[in-house]
Amino acid sequence: MLAWAEENSLVHVFFMKRINVIILVVMCLSAAMMYPFLSGVVIEEGETGKLLAFFKMEPGKEFSITYIHSIHKTPVLETYHINQEGQIVQTEMRFEEFGVGMPSGATGNEVFTQKDGTYILSNMNRTFPSLDIRTGQIIANHTLLFEGREYPFSSFSEKGSWVRLKTEKLNVWQWMIGGIYARDEIEFF
C-alpha cells in the first residue's frame, strides 16, 4: 500500500511540474505577443492621440492616399513607403490641375512629367516622421490604398477631423490582425 501511495505521489508531482511548465510557457508566449517590435502604420486622432486604425506594414511596403482636391475638385494620388528607419517617405504625387497646394515643378532629383492629362511628380524622397491630415467634410473622401484594398478615412474618423499617420511598433497580436477601431469595435482586415 505504501509503495502505491509513493508511486501515486511521484506521478502527481510529475504532472504538477508538467502543468507548471505549460502554464509558464503560455504566460511567456502571451507576454511576447504583447511586446511591440513589429513595424506598422497607425492612424490616430490628431488632438487626443486615440488609436483609430493600424496596418501591419514592413519597411519598403508602399501605400497611397487618394483624395479629391477641395479647390480644383480633381483627384490627387500621393504614394509613400516606410524606410528602414521607420519614417514615412513620399515617393510620388499625381494630380490633374495646378493650384493651391500642388507642386509647380520638380526639385532636386525629382522628375516632373505629364501623361494622359495627369501631372506626375516622381522620384520624390520627402521624409516625414508623421503625416497630419485634415479629412474632408464634403468632397475630399480621403482614402488609404494598401495591398489592393481601399480604406476610406471616414470608416474610422469623423469627416473634417484631424488625423495623424505615423509608424509605430506593433505587438504580434496587432500585427497579425490589423484593424480599424470604429465605434469601440475592431474591424479586421
Side-chain angles (χ1 to χ4, degrees):
M1 181 80 170
L2 186 58
W4 178 83
E6 283 182 19
E7 185 177 310
N8 193 23
S9 177
L10 288 174
V11 168
H12 177 72
V13 168
F14 174 76
F15 283 116
M16 288 305 292
K17 285 184 178 181
R18 200 169 244 185
I19 288 173
N20 286 340
V21 167
I22 290 171
I23 290 172
L24 181 63
V25 167
V26 167
M27 288 174 54
C28 288
L29 288 174
S30 296
M33 286 187 70
M34 301 314 280
Y35 182 77
F37 64 94
L38 299 165
S39 298
V41 169
V42 298
I43 302 174
E44 59 189 23
E45 285 183 352
E47 293 180 22
T48 66
K50 178 185 175 193
L51 181 64
L52 299 172
F54 53 92
F55 300 85
K56 55 185 179 183
M57 196 173 303
E58 298 169 350
K61 286 279 190 169
E62 192 174 85
F63 69 95
S64 298
I65 298 172
T66 186
Y67 58 93
I68 302 299
H69 194 281
S70 61
I71 307 286
H72 327 129
K73 313 245 185 309
T74 58
V76 177
L77 177 70
E78 300 176 352
T79 303
Y80 302 88
H81 76 266
I82 306 303
N83 67 16
Q84 293 298 322
E85 291 78 37
Q87 298 171 312
I88 300 170
V89 181
Q90 185 176 17
T91 58
E92 186 177 270
M93 178 183 250
R94 294 174 178 251
F95 56 96
E96 294 178 5
E97 286 191 32
F98 290 104
V100 178
M102 295 292 101
S104 59
T107 60
N109 293 326
E110 297 174 348
V111 177
F112 193 79
T113 57
Q114 182 183 13
K115 182 178 180 183
D116 299 325
T118 300
Y119 298 104
I120 304 167
L121 183 57
S122 59
N123 203 38
M124 298 171 73
N125 191 25
R126 299 181 184 179
T127 304
F128 305 95
S130 62
L131 298 175
D132 288 340
I133 298 173
R134 177 71 66 180
T135 61
Q137 292 184 356
I138 300 171
I139 296 172
N141 193 29
H142 287 85
T143 302
L144 183 114
L145 309 172
F146 178 60
E147 293 188 336
R149 295 190 61 189
E150 296 183 6
Y151 304 96
F153 281 41
S154 61
S155 69
F156 50 80
S157 67
E158 295 293 321
K159 290 183 175 187
S161 64
W162 164 34
V163 297
R164 174 170 286 155
L165 280 80
K166 64 181 185 177
T167 61
E168 199 168 273
K169 296 294 184 185
L170 302 174
N171 63 43
V172 172
W173 177 248
Q174 290 171 312
W175 200 83
M176 284 175 25
I177 63 172
I180 295 176
Y181 286 97
R183 294 170 297 286
D184 297 325
E185 298 175 11
I186 300 178
E187 296 178 30
F188 300 107
F189 45 80

